[in-house]
Amino acid sequence: MIPAYEMNFDGLVGPTHNYGGLSYGNVASQSNSQAVSSPKEAALQGLGKMKALMDMGFKQGVFAPQERQDVAALRSLGFTGSDAEVIARAAKEAMPLLAACSSASSMWTANSCTVSPSADTADGRVHFTAANLNCKFHRSIEHPTTSRVLGAMFANPQHFAHHAALPAVSQFGDEGAANHTRFCAGYGEAGVEFFVFGRSAFDPRYPAPQRYPARQTLEACQAVARLHGLSDDGVVYAQQNPAVIDQGVFHNDVIAVGNGEVLFYHQDAFLDTERVLAELGDKLARRGGRFQAVCVPREAVSVEDAVRSYLFNSQLLTRADGSMLLIVPEECHKNARVWDYLQQLTAGNGPIREVKVFDLKQSMQNGGGPACLRLRVALNETELAAVNPGVIMTPTLHDTLVAWVGKHYRDRLSEADLADPQLLVECRAALDELTQILKLGSVYPFQLV
Ligand code: SUG
């Protein structure tokens, strides 16, 4: 069998990173609304994580940010004139819309798309479906550029198949890989794809949350599975517990993470948990794997502590010796109950043996932890060789990107700064240079005119 790997493509934080308070149902986004951000620090924190994982021997890639501000989106809402006039008018008349069109939210690449590796798909190619992210306006404008960037990263049609985002209506609300996990005995072997939804558009048997929106629907999950050519015996669907959505678990990756044969999850994460675990176990066994569920009981870590610390928004990585490493944000270290739990977990004889802590505060304050910042793509060696080499992290690329951030990014950004017409000019200059560094060609609207 051809050797295969999991590769993490981390979102490079864009130069307009700010705290817009744009995500109702995401506790961190709401509580840090209008705090002053540091785009430079945010980008460097992200690059620090990418470098650390590369240095540990993991395959690491980088996913380019989007053009912001999105002047075309503002124009579609009726703001007219030159680009500078559009921004000035939006700032004066509708600051929330300017904030939405300035968001650097594409950094959370776990939401960019859903990926099915070639071992799972009917035509033997790696399939990508861009996520419509249609629950939030500021995120719903990401997918056209996401599709172009994915197309430039994974260009070879012999190995890679790309699907446009699902129809942008709430019945097909799709948040990408944040609600999708894949279990397998080995990255190159057929696996079991686990889709978690928050509600059904049509079927009243699935209770929706009361307070906060459920962003992902069952029907979206089923459509992605069909598009990717997955077989029924390689797919499991589960409903997220609506009670935890109402406590701020706006994506499944805020309450569970899986890798290889292991699911690390909170006791309250799902509805019908026993059925879900049994189905995962059976289906993985038929694909040669031995499913292991690591449940975190609510007595050890409450849902509130899970949401505050982002314990489950961690990266679960397989080390060379087959044991697993958990990459957690610093907020886990600061929470005594979570930290105690992690000490016990790694001291036991379960699969997770080590924890590493990263400072990702700039992203965390908008509700994005280590797992949100990365898109996982399982690739065999032949497919890996077909990835655009410009987006594969190397020590040289890391240093180039650190220098690029130093040259172009602001130290501070407040809501008032979004009205500065110079910001757009700076961002476009930065992104124009970036597409050359990453060898992406023309992917941004300002490059396509
Ligand atoms: O969609 N926050 C993002 C965070 C996404 C986290 N991703 C995963 N869990 N995979 C969201 O809610 C906040 C932007 C602001 O308020 O400025 C924001 O979009």
Side-chain angles (χ1 to χ4, degrees), residues 113 152 225 286 443:
C113 62
R286 274 183 254 137
V443 289

PDB file of all heavy atoms in Angstrom, residues 113 152 225 286 443:
ATOM      1  N   CYS A 113     -14.327  23.723   4.142  1.00  0.00           N
ATOM      2  CA  CYS A 113     -14.891  22.678   3.292  1.00  0.00           C
ATOM      3  C   CYS A 113     -14.932  21.355   4.047  1.00  0.00           C
ATOM      4  O   CYS A 113     -14.423  21.266   5.167  1.00  0.00           O
ATOM      5  CB  CYS A 113     -14.025  22.511   2.030  1.00  0.00           C
ATOM      6  SG  CYS A 113     -12.333  22.001   2.378  1.00  0.00           S
ATOM      7  N   ALA A 152      -6.475  26.147  -6.426  1.00  0.00           N
ATOM      8  CA  ALA A 152      -5.067  26.452  -6.681  1.00  0.00           C
ATOM      9  C   ALA A 152      -4.136  25.577  -5.827  1.00  0.00           C
ATOM     10  O   ALA A 152      -2.992  25.335  -6.192  1.00  0.00           O
ATOM     11  CB  ALA A 152      -4.801  27.938  -6.394  1.00  0.00           C
ATOM     12  N   ALA A 225     -22.097  13.723   1.510  1.00  0.00           N
ATOM     13  CA  ALA A 225     -21.749  12.297   1.386  1.00  0.00           C
ATOM     14  C   ALA A 225     -22.064  11.789  -0.031  1.00  0.00           C
ATOM     15  O   ALA A 225     -21.285  11.039  -0.624  1.00  0.00           O
ATOM     16  CB  ALA A 225     -22.503  11.481   2.436  1.00  0.00           C
ATOM     17  N   ARG A 286     -15.527  -3.294  10.330  1.00  0.00           N
ATOM     18  CA  ARG A 286     -15.619  -3.869   8.973  1.00  0.00           C
ATOM     19  C   ARG A 286     -14.563  -3.302   8.038  1.00  0.00           C
ATOM     20  O   ARG A 286     -14.333  -3.822   6.951  1.00  0.00           O
ATOM     21  CB  ARG A 286     -17.025  -3.674   8.397  1.00  0.00           C
ATOM     22  CG  ARG A 286     -17.928  -4.819   8.854  1.00  0.00           C
ATOM     23  CD  ARG A 286     -19.308  -4.727   8.255  1.00  0.00           C
ATOM     24  NE  ARG A 286     -20.245  -4.289   9.279  1.00  0.00           N
ATOM     25  CZ  ARG A 286     -21.198  -3.398   9.111  1.00  0.00           C
ATOM     26  NH1 ARG A 286     -21.345  -2.793   7.942  1.00  0.00           N
ATOM     27  NH2 ARG A 286     -21.999  -3.078  10.093  1.00  0.00           N
ATOM     28  N   VAL A 443      -6.229  34.547  -7.367  1.00  0.00           N
ATOM     29  CA  VAL A 443      -7.387  33.944  -6.690  1.00  0.00           C
ATOM     30  C   VAL A 443      -8.325  34.979  -6.070  1.00  0.00           C
ATOM     31  O   VAL A 443      -9.459  34.654  -5.713  1.00  0.00           O
ATOM     32  CB  VAL A 443      -6.958  32.944  -5.579  1.00  0.00           C
ATOM     33  CG1 VAL A 443      -6.361  31.679  -6.174  1.00  0.00           C
ATOM     34  CG2 VAL A 443      -5.990  33.589  -4.589  1.00  0.00           C
TER      35      VAL A 443
END
